Amino acid sequence: MNDNRNVILAIVLSMLVLFGWQFFIAGPRMEQAQQQAELAAEQAKTEAALATPATSTGDAAVAAGTPGAVATDGSPVYADRATAIAATSRVTIDTPDLEGSINLTGARLDDLELKQYRETVDPTSPIITLLTPAGAPNAYFAEQGWVPASGTAVVVPDSKSVWTIEGDATALTAATPVTLRWDNGQGLIFRRTFSVDDYYLFTIDQSVENTGTGDVALFPYARVARHGTPKVANFFIQHEGPHGVLGSNNMVSKKYTDLQKDQQARFDNTTGWLGFSDKYWATAVLPKPNTTINALFSWKNTGSYDDYQTSFVETTPVVIAAGSTVTHQSYLFAGAKEEAVINGYQQKYGFDRIDLLIDWGWFSFLTKPMYYLLTFLNGLIGNFGLAVLAVTVIVKALFFPLASRSYASMAAMRRVQPEMKAIQERLKDDRAAQQQAMMELYKKEKINPLSGCWPVLIQIPVFFALYTVIFISLDMRHAPFFGWIQDLAAPDPTNIFTLFGLIPWDPTALPLIGGFLHLGVWPVIMGITMWVQMKLNPPPPDPTQAMIFNWMPVIFTFMLGTFPAGLVIYWAWNNTLSVTQQYFIMKRHGAEVDLLGNILSAFGRKPKASEPTKP
């Protein structure tokens, strides 16, 4: 009974990692529905204020902790993104990695696409869209601006202000910045100069020219706004959602559902940056390093969509004396989460831990070196899938001494298994005497039952780090392997439930069970390797244990059916290496490894006399 309980506990613990994904997908949806119900009463009280999104000035005033009315935007609604872009005058953006435009209404960066990345592996598919104008479906944009000091009536530009181009530049490129100009008609001339490098970093220089007779104090702010809740994987390995590094608060990550529940999360008198992080892309506003800011994550429901914002306002006002001009600088990252590019920004500009735009996971001290090894081998071999297989071999080789010790302990335990069974049978009614007899047996044979566990436990963080790298790596996206696998980041496109396309139906559309009815060739291979690995050991005598062991590979096969192909291939390869390693180590230590006999017994057969059952 004790062995049965231990086996069940071990299996439950090992399956938590994989079953977690289902919890993290379904859970947030239920949580969101509950939160909406709880917030209904409060939303009714503030429905008028939340009916439309606030202007940039209003939102910034809230973040700054300064008085400011929440004004309505009044922006029109568009049927699609293209219509929204065509509705306003714009300045074109054209760099090696980016294309898009700056909206002259509001001087917003709200149209951005990533030239080097496409939606699918088809080279003619659309390039990735990152930012979209307000009023269009799934709007997503960034802007900078000013908040007047409390008690002043200074008119500052907002989301409706129409700016003009100053100078000869007609397009923003890596070599040519663009300057926009807006006059408030009360003695202040605002200029906003956009510069961009060859990758994804925008530098925004805001200047204010005071032609009046009195000094003016303004607080700089920046924000990223996202309208509508994006579809996210909600996988526990990687965060997708509002995200930032805020000084002593360290990394702050909010799920969209968490932000709906909290409505606001303020971090006053801090430093750092914040924005939104997707699996492969990110947008973040960054003040100059070590600048003190009041940061705000916020959510509200406008009645037609969820409005998420990440914003900051600097705590020290910029004072523009009469007759002078003052310039303020901040930054915007908008693009792909390429490790080399982001690391370069951290080194060049000194941004606080901007490398955490990439979620390296709990074991970042292991994940990063693993990533560097993977990218090195990918450059050497020329195939990311083969690089994954090579890294797995290297890690297995490094841990061979530990694995050998673990399997040696298992072999020793197997040698005394007949004596253990005899003790259990003889003393089945006296648990205390049974345990005493077991301990005496271990002492006599110089066996430590736990010695086989520690080597395995030490390896878990390393293999989890490798698993994390494979999952989050942008390098794996649209990376081909061989045969039908043309995208290692997508599930195996084959499906045995359609006879690999011969039956014209979609089993995944079935309610409840549809999500488990996508089962490709590689998940099946993975399941077979897992099943063979379990058959290295004889079936347990207890029927419950035997049933659990028999069903585990089947459950894991269906669980991994919709996982990225790269992860499934890694899992199958890792199982294959483990089987080979365990077989030869246990054979070397004199343990019986009746693999063929164990496999045949699973089908109710016994090996023939001519079939060898021992190595």
Side-chain angles (χ1 to χ4, degrees):
M1 179 58 111
N2 186 53
D3 291 340
N4 185 39
R5 184 167 58 251
N6 290 339
V7 170
I8 294 175
L9 178 60
I11 292 171
V12 169
L13 291 175
S14 68
M15 294 178 66
L16 279 178
V17 171
L18 290 177
F19 276 113
W21 74 273
Q22 188 173 9
F23 171 81
F24 284 104
I25 290 175
R29 294 178 181 172
M30 296 176 62
E31 182 181 338
Q32 180 177 357
Q34 181 180 358
Q35 291 164 356
Q36 292 287 358
E38 293 173 351
L39 291 172
E42 294 184 22
Q43 289 178 350
K45 298 177 183 178
T46 57
E47 187 175 1
L50 301 182
T52 55
T55 63
S56 58
T57 304
D59 291 332
V62 173
T66 56
V70 180
T72 58
D73 195 327
S75 299
V77 176
Y78 302 99
D80 53 50
R81 184 175 184 274
T83 304
I85 293 172
T88 57
S89 300
R90 294 178 169 271
V91 179
T92 301
I93 299 172
D94 187 11
T95 75
D97 283 355
L98 301 172
E99 69 177 44
S101 60
I102 301 170
N103 194 343
L104 293 183
T105 300
R108 283 176 173 173
L109 184 57
D110 63 359
D111 168 27
L112 200 64
E113 296 177 304
L114 310 182
K115 285 183 177 180
Q116 305 303 322
Y117 298 94
R118 296 189 176 274
E119 292 183 0
T120 70
V121 293
D122 184 350
T124 63
S125 65
I127 60 178
I128 290 296
T129 295
L130 184 62
L131 301 183
T132 297
N138 303 313
Y140 186 17
F141 55 88
E143 70 179 8
Q144 293 72 30
W146 301 96
V147 181
S150 178
T152 63
V154 178
V155 177
V156 296
D158 60 20
S159 60
K160 301 191 192 79
S161 302
V162 178
W163 297 63
T164 58
I165 302 173
E166 188 172 74
D168 298 328
T170 57
L172 174 60
T173 69
T176 57
V178 168
T179 299
L180 307 182
R181 181 182 186 276
W182 184 80
D183 190 334
N184 76 345
Q186 299 178 5
L188 294 180
I189 299 173
F190 295 85
R191 291 181 176 86
R192 194 169 295 170
T193 300
F194 292 85
S195 306
V196 63
D197 66 0
D198 288 331
Y199 302 105
Y200 311 115
L201 188 68
F202 292 83
T203 302
I204 298 93
D205 292 296
Q206 296 190 90
S207 68
V208 182
E209 179 183 352
N210 186 355
T211 62
T213 57
D215 296 350
V216 175
L218 301 174
F219 292 90
Y221 83 91
R223 69 163 177 158
V224 182
R226 195 164 202 169
H227 297 170
T229 305
K231 182 179 179 180
V232 297
N234 267 332
F235 199 73
F236 74 97
I237 287 179
Q238 184 183 40
H239 173 74
E240 295 179 73
H243 176 68
V245 170
L246 299 172
S248 60
N249 298 290
N250 298 313
M251 186 170 69
V252 178
S253 300
K254 298 285 185 181
K255 290 184 179 180
Y256 290 102
T257 50
D258 290 340
L259 198 53
Q260 290 178 16
K261 180 179 179 180
D262 299 338
Q263 298 196 27
Q264 285 191 3
R266 296 174 57 108
F267 299 87
D268 291 339
N269 297 310
T270 187
T271 58
W273 53 268
L274 67 166
F276 291 92
S277 182
D278 298 327
K279 182 172 184 179
Y280 297 120
W281 336 112
T283 305
V285 284
L286 308 96
K288 278 190 171 183
N290 301 317
T291 300
T292 304
I293 60 174
N294 291 339
L296 175 68
F297 297 89
S298 64
W299 166 88
K300 60 177 174 287
N301 186 277
T302 67
S304 56
Y305 58 82
D306 293 310
D307 181 13
Y308 302 93
Q309 296 193 31
T310 59
S311 59
F312 73 79
V313 175
E314 296 187 12
T315 59
T316 303
V318 173
V319 179
I320 308 100
S324 67
T325 300
V326 175
T327 301
H328 173 271
Q329 190 175 77
S330 65
Y331 303 91
L332 169 72
F333 176 90
K337 297 197 288 189
E338 298 175 8
E339 189 277 337
V341 172
I342 293 173
N343 190 53
Y345 291 150
Q346 181 162 307
Q347 295 179 4
K348 181 177 180 180
Y349 296 94
F351 297 129
D352 184 14
R353 292 166 284 177
I354 194 176
D355 62 311
L356 294 181
L357 274 173
I358 302 172
D359 189 354
W360 295 104
W362 303 326
F363 302 105
S364 59
F365 62 94
L366 295 173
T367 310
K368 279 190 175 183
M370 200 78 72
Y371 170 81
Y372 295 139
L373 178 60
L374 255 178
T375 52
F376 170 76
L377 291 175
N378 185 31
L380 198 65
I381 300 173
N383 184 287
F384 192 84
L386 291 179
V388 169
L389 303 188
V391 169
T392 309
V393 172
I394 292 172
V395 173
K396 281 285 186 184
L398 290 175
F399 281 102
F400 183 83
L402 287 175
S404 179
R405 183 175 178 182
S406 176
Y407 293 140
S409 176
M410 292 171 60
M413 292 291 291
R414 292 186 64 175
R415 283 198 304 270
V416 300
Q417 192 173 28
E419 297 178 58
M420 294 171 61
K421 289 182 178 179
I423 291 173
Q424 291 172 348
E425 182 64 26
R426 186 174 73 251
L427 302 173
K428 59 183 177 181
D429 297 325
D430 189 344
R431 293 293 301 274
Q434 183 184 119
Q435 292 295 331
Q436 182 65 29
M438 288 286 191
M439 294 303 295
E440 291 176 358
L441 176 63
Y442 295 151
K443 185 177 180 179
K444 173 186 174 184
E445 299 292 337
K446 298 180 180 180
I447 296 174
N448 182 357
L450 297 179
S451 63
C453 300
W454 288 111
V456 175
L457 292 177
I458 294 172
Q459 295 178 63
I460 288 176
V462 177
F463 281 99
F464 185 77
L466 176 58
Y467 183 86
T468 301
V469 169
I470 297 171
F471 185 85
I472 70 172
S473 177
L474 179 60
D475 303 73
M476 193 171 79
R477 184 180 186 271
H478 293 179
F481 188 53
F482 294 102
W484 63 94
I485 302 297
Q486 296 300 308
D487 183 2
L488 287 167
D492 187 328
T494 60
N495 193 347
I496 64 173
F497 294 108
T498 64
L499 292 183
F500 309 108
L502 294 178
I503 303 176
W505 76 301
D506 182 12
T508 62
L510 294 175
L512 299 178
I513 63 171
F516 295 96
L517 297 183
H518 182 96
L519 195 60
V521 174
W522 272 107
V524 172
I525 293 173
M526 187 284 305
I528 292 173
T529 61
M530 185 177 184
W531 181 74
V532 171
Q533 185 178 16
M534 290 189 170
K535 293 305 172 182
L536 277 175
N537 298 307
D542 183 81
T544 303
Q545 293 183 23
M547 181 187 68
I548 293 173
F549 275 102
N550 286 334
W551 278 101
M552 272 186 65
V554 177
I555 294 172
F556 274 60
T557 298
F558 280 90
M559 289 285 292
L560 269 70
T562 56
F563 271 48
L567 288 174
V568 180
I569 292 171
Y570 154 73
W571 204 291
W573 178 240
N574 187 59
N575 288 345
T576 303
L577 293 178
S578 297
V579 168
T580 305
Q581 188 179 62
Q582 183 177 350
Y583 181 89
F584 284 103
I585 291 177
M586 295 186 73
K587 181 179 178 181
R588 189 179 68 180
H589 285 278
E592 293 186 6
V593 187
D594 189 10
L595 180 58
L596 178 60
N598 294 339
I599 290 175
L600 292 176
S601 67
F603 297 99
R605 292 181 53 198
K606 294 183 179 179
K608 297 178 182 179
S610 60
E611 293 177 336
T613 60
K614 296 182 181 180

